[in-house]
Amino acid sequence: INKRSDGREKADPVDVGTTMERDSLIRSWRMDGVPYSDAGGWLRINPVNGHVDDNSVTALRHMLIEFDKIPTSLQLCYFARFNAPIAALLTSGGQSIHAWIKVDCITRGEYDSLFLSIQSRLARFGMDSQNKNPGRLSRLVGAIRKIGFEGDGHQRLLYLNPNPSNHPIIT
């Protein structure tokens, strides 16, 4: 647990967690529920081969975009009008909305270039530039966060579109 400059607590993952294939993971969640701790729960935005570094990512499918410095209501308004293929929006249980942008990049260079392009468009709005790596963790929907939470701390799915277009959610 880390203390932020504003005195609030922030929890960071402390180990590599468990890597499972999707169908096994879903079966496990159905039988045992979604695992989490007081810090909530996390999952990787892209598939990995069992390790946790960026070189272990097996497909560059998504990019994580979030803003920590503006209210969640403004974040939602912005994402609804953002001209990008948003595959999912979920709450962190804290002060941000996580947007999974569908990228389907072939190379890491392509991924990095796309991130820089998006960052140049969103930096003035306070986009978190630390989310540049493809092995990034996002919040696990269904978990409840007790450290650094806002509201009830629930990590919720707000929007899902497995085949998003490159257009705003709301026009």
Side-chain angles (χ1 to χ4, degrees), residues 2-161:
N2 298 314
K3 288 276 188 184
R4 294 180 183 220
S5 59
D6 63 4
R8 294 171 41 132
E9 292 181 325
K10 179 182 187 291
D12 293 317
V14 293
D15 63 29
V16 298
T18 303
T19 300
M20 301 173 79
E21 290 186 359
R22 185 198 63 175
D23 291 345
S24 296
L25 183 64
I26 291 169
R27 270 194 305 278
S28 171
W29 287 349
R30 284 184 179 147
M31 287 176 32
D32 304 323
V34 175
Y36 60 89
S37 68
D38 284 351
W42 291 274
L43 78 157
R44 302 241 173 241
I45 63 170
N46 289 305
V48 295
N49 65 9
H51 300 284
V52 295
D53 62 9
D54 288 333
N55 294 326
S56 300
V57 172
T58 60
L60 301 166
R61 296 179 186 161
H62 298 101
M63 184 174 294
L64 178 66
I65 305 296
E66 75 173 310
F67 304 89
D68 281 335
K69 305 221 181 326
I70 59 176
T72 54
S73 59
L74 290 177
Q75 294 175 48
L76 280 173
C77 291
Y78 189 79
F79 285 131
R81 298 261 187 206
F82 186 50
N83 194 24
I86 296 176
L89 293 173
L90 52 118
T91 65
S92 69
Q95 58 188 11
S96 66
I97 305 295
H98 289 196
W100 291 26
I101 309 299
K102 183 104 166 148
V103 294
D104 287 327
C105 293
I106 303 299
T107 67
R108 176 66 191 265
E110 181 185 4
Y111 187 95
D112 292 343
S113 178
L114 183 56
F115 179 84
L116 291 173
S117 172
I118 291 172
Q119 182 183 21
S120 70
R121 291 171 30 201
L122 302 181
R124 65 183 172 177
F125 301 107
M127 181 183 132
D128 186 346
S129 62
Q130 292 183 347
N131 292 332
K132 62 186 171 195
N133 59 316
R136 179 58 62 179
L137 290 168
S138 183
R139 289 294 177 159
L140 176 62
V141 171
I144 301 170
R145 181 176 175 178
K146 295 179 181 173
I147 298 171
F149 72 97
E150 296 227 348
D152 62 9
H154 285 265
Q155 297 170 189
R156 291 183 170 92
L157 180 66
L158 302 175
Y159 173 82
L160 179 65
N161 183 349

